[in-house]
Amino acid sequence: MKKGYVLWLLISVISLPVVAQNIIYSNLKELMAQDGDTLAVLRVEKRSRSQILLTGGADYRITAGNDESMCRQLKKRCFAVRTSEGDLFINCRKLRYKKMRFGAWYAPAVQLGKNIYFCAMPLGSVIGGTFAEEDDVKLGGNVGDALAASSLVTKRVCYELNGETGKIDFVGKEKMAQLLEKHPEWKKAYLTKDSQEAKHTFKYLQMLCGEQQKE
C-alpha cells in the first residue's frame, strides 16, 4: 500500500505542468545557449510615439517592477529577455549597425536557428561610433549598404544578428526571399507587398518562428 502511494506521488509530480518563467540573458552567448537567470517580475511597456520622438530608443521599456537595482541592470547590462509568454526582446543599447546606434530600451525579436532577428530604427550615423564600447556587438561586412544609402535609414526595419559572430546585417528583400524559400506562398505574398519596413517583414519572421517551434 505504501509503495503504491509513493508511486502515485511520483507520477503526480512528473505530471505537473512546467510553469513558464521570465528569463534574462546577460550576453549573446547565454541567449544562444538558452542559459539565463529567471526573474519573478518582468514588466513590458510599449513606449508611445511621442516618447520615442522625444528621447529616441527602441519600442519597449522593460522593468522589474519596484526592484530599482534590477531595473538598472535590465536597462544597462542585460542583453535580452524572454517573457513567461515566450516573447523575446533584445536590448538595443549596445547594438550597432555600420556607424548607427539604436538607442536604449528593447526591440521585439525572434530566433531562427542560430540567428536573432529584431526590428528597430537607428538614431544616426556619426554619433553611434562615438559611444562604441569594447563589448559592443560589432558590425558585419558590406551587406546592407543599400539601407544606408536609401530612405530606409530613417525607417523601422529588420536586422539579423548572427548568433555565432555577433555581426549585424540589414534584412532586405533578398534575405527574406531566402528565409521564405520553403514557403512559396508566404514568399509570393511578401514580395507582392514590395515593402522592406518592419511592419511588413517582421510578421513573416514571426510566422517562420512559429513553424520552427512546431518542428
Side-chain angles (χ1 to χ4, degrees):
M1 183 70 178
K2 185 178 292 184
K3 289 183 178 179
Y5 179 70
V6 172
L7 180 60
W8 177 81
L9 282 177
L10 287 172
I11 294 174
S12 298
V13 171
I14 293 173
S15 301
L16 286 174
V18 177
V19 178
Q21 297 176 307
N22 302 308
I23 305 174
I24 62 174
Y25 305 96
S26 299
N27 51 55
L28 179 58
K29 184 178 180 180
E30 285 188 4
L31 173 59
M32 300 312 297
Q34 295 296 300
D35 183 23
D37 297 318
T38 58
L39 190 64
V41 178
L42 194 67
R43 294 180 180 173
V44 179
E45 173 191 348
K46 180 72 181 291
R47 302 178 67 220
S48 68
R49 180 178 175 82
S50 59
Q51 287 175 323
I52 295 174
L53 288 174
L54 286 172
T55 61
D59 291 340
Y60 290 87
R61 180 174 181 264
I62 297 181
T63 63
N66 297 322
D67 188 337
E68 294 183 4
S69 176
M70 181 54 68
C71 285
R72 286 195 295 271
Q73 182 174 337
L74 283 169
K75 183 177 181 180
K76 296 183 178 181
R77 299 179 61 188
C78 182
F79 183 80
V81 303
R82 193 182 298 277
T83 69
S84 58
E85 290 79 19
D87 296 323
L88 179 65
F89 296 89
I90 189 167
N91 194 340
C92 288
R93 186 179 181 87
K94 291 190 175 182
L95 299 183
R96 302 288 187 273
Y97 174 74
K98 303 289 179 191
K99 291 185 177 181
M100 296 178 289
R101 61 191 180 101
F102 300 97
W105 305 119
Y106 286 77
V110 296
Q111 181 176 346
L112 296 176
K114 296 181 179 180
N115 296 323
I116 304 296
Y117 296 85
F118 66 97
C119 56
M121 182 169 58
L123 296 180
S125 55
V126 179
I127 297 177
T130 305
F131 291 91
E133 300 178 22
E134 289 184 1
D135 56 348
D136 283 348
V137 175
K138 301 302 187 295
L139 309 176
N142 296 318
V143 179
D145 285 339
L147 171 68
S150 71
S151 60
L152 286 173
V153 75
T154 60
K155 303 291 185 180
R156 187 175 282 94
V157 297
C158 292
Y159 298 86
E160 177 188 77
L161 170 59
N162 188 301
E164 295 181 335
T165 66
K167 294 179 180 179
I168 295 177
D169 282 323
F170 166 58
V171 177
K173 287 183 180 180
E174 291 185 8
K175 170 62 71 173
M176 280 303 298
Q178 293 173 9
L179 291 172
L180 295 169
E181 195 63 43
K182 293 182 180 180
H183 301 276
E185 292 184 0
W186 294 358
K187 179 180 177 181
K188 181 180 179 180
Y190 168 76
L191 294 175
T192 300
K193 185 68 173 179
D194 194 28
S195 172
Q196 298 183 90
E197 291 188 43
K199 60 184 179 182
H200 176 59
T201 302
F202 194 64
K203 71 176 183 180
Y204 287 97
L205 292 170
Q206 291 176 311
M207 289 162 64
L208 288 171
C209 183
E211 286 294 301
Q212 177 181 263
Q213 291 172 353
K214 295 177 182 178
E215 296 177 356

